[in-house]
Amino acid sequence: MALPSVLDRDIVNPRIYAVQQDYHALFSQLRREDPVRWTKPDGYEPFWTVSKYADIVEIERQNTLFINEPRLNMRPREAAAVLAARLGQQKPIRMIVDMDEPDHRKYRALTQSWFLPSNLKQIDETIKEITKEYVDRLGELGGACDFVRDVAVWFPLRVIMLLLGVPREDGLLLLRLTQQTFGAEDPDVAEQADFKAARAQAFAEFVDYFNVLLAKRRREPRDDLASLIANAQIDGKPIPDREALSYYIVIATAGHDTTSATAAGGLLALIENPQEMVKLRADPALLPRAIEEMIRWVTPVKHFGRTAVQDYVLRGRQIKAGQSLMLCYPSANRDEDVFENPFDFRVDREPNKQLAFGIGVHQCLGLHLARQELRAFFAEFLSRVDDVRLAGEPAHVAGTFIAGLKRLPIQYRMK
Ligand code: HEM
């Protein structure tokens, strides 16, 4: 029997994404009963909702049949039209995640080896110092804090600042700019007129900030990622300003909310599953697996889109050329065909082929860095902080793209 069309509204309703049980109830039903669903919410161009792990892998692996342009996210028609009108002929930013072949391969190749573990080793000590600083901060806060506001938003931001080589006193400015420009579409804030104006203003400031950085790194290159990008060559010519700037922006944004959301959501999972916290404390060698499980559990990127360039049959459904697909990563990461007891949080889960970083040519460029940061943080946290409990109600951002906790009040004791 066909599922009711009211589900289509839920699939794009940010508030569903703010309540984990509601999200997972909806997507469990879709996986069981309509895994490749033609979805027609009011106010949206229709698209296919893809909720099974194997189907997302099948699509992402065929990146010339399913492309990223022109619809990387499922947005309401109105928002998409406003954006298109505002952007005019040329988009002000063009990030690697927006690109298809042949450009994607060329631009990605510029930094691919920089993001490999062998190179990231050189910043390991500094990352450890940064995480130590934020665990020290927990000590200064005297046993109670909002873990999101006081810690989780900060240390991934500091790591990004390290990558780009920008001074630490710019931290507050950058936090405000990333949050206002790319903050989630939480209806509590995003629909307010002053928020929209602030967002446009923040975007302009962001572009100015990175333009200054770009010019500086061209004038006086240093040994950092920002200099590597600023002075890169594409097809034997200097990288265009727009693409260089967009590279800074994608690193600053893709590497921030995602990692913060995983740290906060991972801590909440440990608090809610005390036996797992005990297991992990008793055997620190489990940490890499525990981090993998936190990433699966949280899956901060809720979807990306692809568009079919030719007709294709997926799980018996006829996809037509030009139609878009919404790839629902958190649903894939609870797929019963892939994960044993997917709704159990297990710090020793093995195997764990979580799909939170995507797969194929666009697979997260920063995945090793994200793991490195999270391992460093939790190693420090677990060795110095004890008796961690909830001190109030946690709250999730309402957003269909990148979303996680917006509040996590905790109390704890320093060892
Ligand atoms: C737990 C943390 C993170 C998660 C869950 C995550 C997730 C993702 C996902 C789902 C994609 C798209 C993959 C696809 O289309 O197949 C992506 C792409 C990307 N991520 Fe991450 N990410 C994280 C952290 C980071 C960090 C720390 C950085 C860098 C500082 C980063 C940089 C990027 C970039 C540049 C892309 C675009 C890659 C491309 O299009 O080729 N991410 N990420």
Side-chain angles (χ1 to χ4, degrees):
M1 204 180 62
L3 293 176
S5 61
V6 63
L7 288 192
D8 290 0
R9 204 187 50 208
D10 290 348
I11 289 171
V12 291
N13 180 357
R15 291 186 198 276
I16 294 277
Y17 291 70
V19 183
Q20 303 302 290
Q21 297 89 310
D22 292 355
Y23 175 91
H24 286 303
L26 169 67
F27 278 88
S28 297
Q29 187 181 13
L30 288 171
R31 284 195 303 279
R32 265 190 325 267
E33 299 175 36
D34 200 0
V36 180
R37 176 181 175 82
W38 185 236
T39 312
K40 296 181 288 180
D42 282 348
Y44 285 70
E45 280 304 315
F47 55 87
W48 295 94
T49 302
V50 183
S51 49
K52 295 283 289 178
Y53 186 106
D55 296 344
I56 295 180
V57 172
E58 184 174 335
I59 291 163
E60 286 216 61
R61 286 208 188 277
Q62 304 186 72
N63 63 301
T64 51
L65 293 186
F66 296 99
I67 57 174
N68 286 29
E69 281 279 11
R71 202 174 175 196
L72 198 52
N73 295 115
M74 304 304 127
R75 299 176 197 278
R77 241 181 237 125
E78 197 192 337
V82 169
L83 198 67
R86 197 184 312 139
L87 301 183
Q89 292 303 306
Q90 205 200 33
K91 289 184 179 177
I93 55 175
R94 182 170 176 248
M95 303 187 279
I96 55 169
V97 71
D98 297 313
M99 295 177 188
D100 291 297
E101 299 315 328
D103 281 5
H104 174 261
R105 193 161 5 103
K106 295 179 197 163
Y107 279 89
R108 178 147 173 150
L110 298 179
T111 62
Q112 180 91 35
S113 56
W114 199 94
F115 280 100
L116 288 179
S118 49
N119 184 60
L120 293 172
K121 250 194 257 148
Q122 58 168 327
I123 54 168
D124 200 43
E125 275 315 305
T126 320
I127 289 181
K128 285 184 178 148
E129 280 162 27
I130 293 173
T131 55
K132 183 172 175 304
E133 203 180 300
Y134 286 94
V135 176
D136 289 348
R137 175 141 177 72
L138 284 168
E140 289 152 20
L141 289 166
C145 73
D146 175 350
F147 182 76
V148 174
R149 189 195 57 204
D150 296 322
V151 176
V153 297
W154 281 109
F155 76 89
L157 180 72
R158 288 282 307 284
V159 172
I160 285 158
M161 293 172 65
L162 167 74
L163 260 47
L164 297 174
V166 298
R168 72 172 287 173
E169 52 282 11
D170 290 357
L172 260 180
L173 171 72
L174 281 175
L175 184 66
R176 177 175 68 75
L177 295 184
T178 49
Q179 288 185 336
Q180 284 181 345
T181 315
F182 295 93
E185 75 263 48
D186 191 324
D188 291 343
V189 286
E191 289 315 314
Q192 295 163 14
D194 54 350
F195 180 82
K196 285 185 175 166
R199 176 149 62 186
Q201 166 69 22
F203 182 69
E205 279 182 59
F206 216 166
V207 169
D208 286 349
Y209 183 89
F210 281 136
N211 264 328
V212 171
L213 182 67
L214 184 61
K216 262 197 211 156
R217 291 299 187 273
R218 283 186 176 150
R219 255 192 336 265
E220 293 163 32
R222 293 199 207 159
D223 186 19
D224 60 23
L225 184 61
S227 304
L228 191 158
I229 293 168
N231 300 294
Q233 300 263 318
I234 293 285
D235 294 333
K237 295 194 205 88
I239 183 172
D241 289 357
R242 176 176 66 143
E243 279 71 7
L245 186 74
S246 304
Y247 229 126
Y248 291 174
I249 293 180
V250 79
I251 288 167
T253 54
H256 185 203
D257 285 358
T258 48
T259 316
S260 308
T262 308
L267 179 60
L268 178 59
L270 286 175
I271 295 172
E272 287 179 333
N273 297 275
Q275 73 293 353
E276 298 301 297
M277 177 92 94
V278 170
K279 218 193 278 174
L280 181 56
R281 284 190 190 279
D283 183 3
L286 287 178
L287 192 60
R289 279 201 257 164
I291 297 300
E292 227 42 32
E293 180 68 342
M294 290 179 192
I295 296 169
R296 180 186 78 88
W297 194 249
V298 175
T299 315
V301 179
K302 305 304 171 194
H303 84 274
F304 265 121
R306 295 291 188 268
T307 298
V309 299
Q310 64 185 56
D311 293 359
Y312 189 87
V313 177
L314 181 69
R315 208 176 273 269
R317 304 300 304 264
Q318 178 66 60
I319 316 283
K320 292 250 184 294
Q323 291 178 338
S324 299
L325 304 98
M326 181 191 205
L327 311 181
C328 302
Y329 300 111
S331 173
N333 275 341
R334 294 291 191 280
D335 190 333
E336 299 75 3
D337 288 346
V338 179
F339 300 98
E340 190 187 87
N341 297 325
F343 289 93
D344 290 353
F345 174 79
R346 295 181 183 163
V347 292
D348 52 357
R349 184 176 286 279
E350 182 88 35
N352 185 355
K353 291 171 80 74
Q354 52 81 12
L355 202 57
F357 293 122
I359 197 157
V361 298
H362 285 279
Q363 188 181 41
C364 179
L365 182 61
L367 59 85
H368 300 297
L369 177 64
R371 287 175 173 138
Q372 186 179 0
E373 286 179 47
L374 290 163
R375 284 176 197 171
F377 179 77
F378 279 99
E380 186 74 18
F381 181 89
L382 292 169
S383 68
R384 293 175 55 201
V385 186
D386 218 344
D387 287 337
V388 191
R389 293 154 210 252
L390 280 184
E393 268 302 296
H396 283 83
V397 162
T400 62
F401 180 34
I402 298 180
L405 285 162
K406 63 179 170 189
R407 191 172 62 235
L408 181 59
I410 55 167
Q411 59 187 54
Y412 50 88
R413 188 172 56 77
M414 301 304 287
K415 285 189 189 173

